[in-house]
Amino acid sequence: MPVRIPLLTLGILVGVVSASAAQGNAPTAGCPKPESHQFDFWEGDWNVTDPTGKVVGTNLVTSEEGGCLIHEHWSGGGGSTGQSFNFYETATGLWNQVWVDNFGTVLRLSGNYADRVLRLTGVAAGPGGKPQQQRLAFFRNADGSVRQLWETSDDEGKTWAVAFDGLYRKKP
């Protein structure tokens, strides 16, 4: 059953909230901690090439939610698409990424930023559903480009195979 609030009570509540906001007591939107902006270097509209220089896709990476979320919009060759949400979680001190693509791949990764590199790790279902270790590194290059290296391991990290190695250069 819906809750009914008398109009007088509702009017008083609106007045209190409005007065509080006018006095500057309302919460401020955005993510003021410097750590929340360590990955801002990935924002932009990018052409992506493989190590041989072949174009493998484009990526639009935007800042959302007052700078608290980095939203990736990937479009690859052969019709692959995907999106990720990337955010710094103050409570844990970790960066997080949740990736979903048009093949149903889901990755949940977390990690840290240090020395101009964001490193993320996690476990996802690999071939045959067997757990597969994942690690991604985003390198902030001096020329403004970004290198993303994604590697997987089927043997609990003893050996790693490159799943993706892309160089991001901003579109002209």
Side-chain angles (χ1 to χ4, degrees):
M1 171 177 269
V3 176
R4 295 182 182 249
I5 300 173
L7 286 178
L8 179 59
T9 303
L10 185 58
I12 291 170
L13 286 173
V14 169
V16 169
V17 170
S18 298
S20 177
Q23 293 174 5
N25 295 334
T28 304
C31 290
K33 290 193 82 157
E35 294 88 350
S36 298
H37 300 283
Q38 292 170 326
F39 201 23
D40 288 359
F41 68 87
W42 197 32
E43 294 171 16
D45 196 2
W46 306 92
N47 287 315
V48 185
T49 58
D50 69 12
T52 69
K54 177 185 170 196
V55 175
V56 294
T58 60
N59 210 352
L60 176 63
V61 182
T62 59
S63 175
E64 307 290 336
E65 302 304 329
C68 298
L69 177 70
I70 296 172
H71 187 180
E72 171 188 18
H73 310 263
W74 168 257
S75 181
S80 67
T81 61
Q83 295 186 43
S84 72
F85 281 176
N86 304 268
F87 55 93
Y88 180 79
E89 189 173 356
T90 305
T92 63
L94 295 173
W95 274 95
N96 296 275
Q97 181 181 90
V98 178
W99 161 267
V100 179
D101 67 21
N102 63 331
F103 295 101
T105 305
V106 176
L107 296 176
R108 292 177 185 87
L109 309 164
S110 63
N112 292 293
Y113 177 83
D115 301 321
R116 301 177 64 88
V117 181
L118 179 68
R119 297 181 190 282
L120 304 167
T121 60
V123 177
K130 181 182 173 195
Q132 184 181 61
Q133 291 190 345
Q134 312 285 322
R135 69 180 182 192
L136 275 73
F138 294 85
F139 300 86
R140 182 180 191 174
N141 298 327
D143 67 357
S145 66
V146 175
R147 178 183 180 211
Q148 178 187 354
L149 178 62
W150 173 19
E151 299 171 293
T152 61
S153 175
D154 293 319
D155 57 11
E156 299 180 1
K158 293 180 186 113
T159 60
W160 292 89
V162 174
F164 179 79
D165 189 355
L167 183 65
Y168 293 66
R169 293 193 188 277
K170 289 200 175 168
K171 291 180 178 180

Coordinates of all heavy atoms in Angstrom, one line a residue, residues 17 143 168:
V17 N 15.1 20.9 2.9 CA 16.1 20.5 2.0 C 16.6 21.7 1.1 O 17.8 21.8 0.9 CB 15.5 19.4 1.1 CG1 16.5 19.1 -0.1 CG2 15.3 18.1 1.9
D143 N 54.0 10.2 -24.7 CA 53.5 10.9 -25.9 C 52.0 11.1 -25.9 O 51.4 11.6 -26.8 CB 54.0 10.2 -27.2 CG 53.4 8.9 -27.4 OD1 52.6 8.4 -26.5 OD2 53.7 8.3 -28.4
Y168 N 46.7 2.8 -28.0 CA 45.6 3.8 -28.2 C 46.2 5.2 -28.5 O 47.0 5.7 -27.8 CB 44.8 4.0 -26.9 CG 44.0 2.8 -26.5 CD1 44.6 1.6 -26.1 CD2 42.6 2.8 -26.4 CE1 43.9 0.5 -25.7 CE2 41.9 1.7 -26.0 CZ 42.5 0.6 -25.7 OH 41.8 -0.5 -25.3

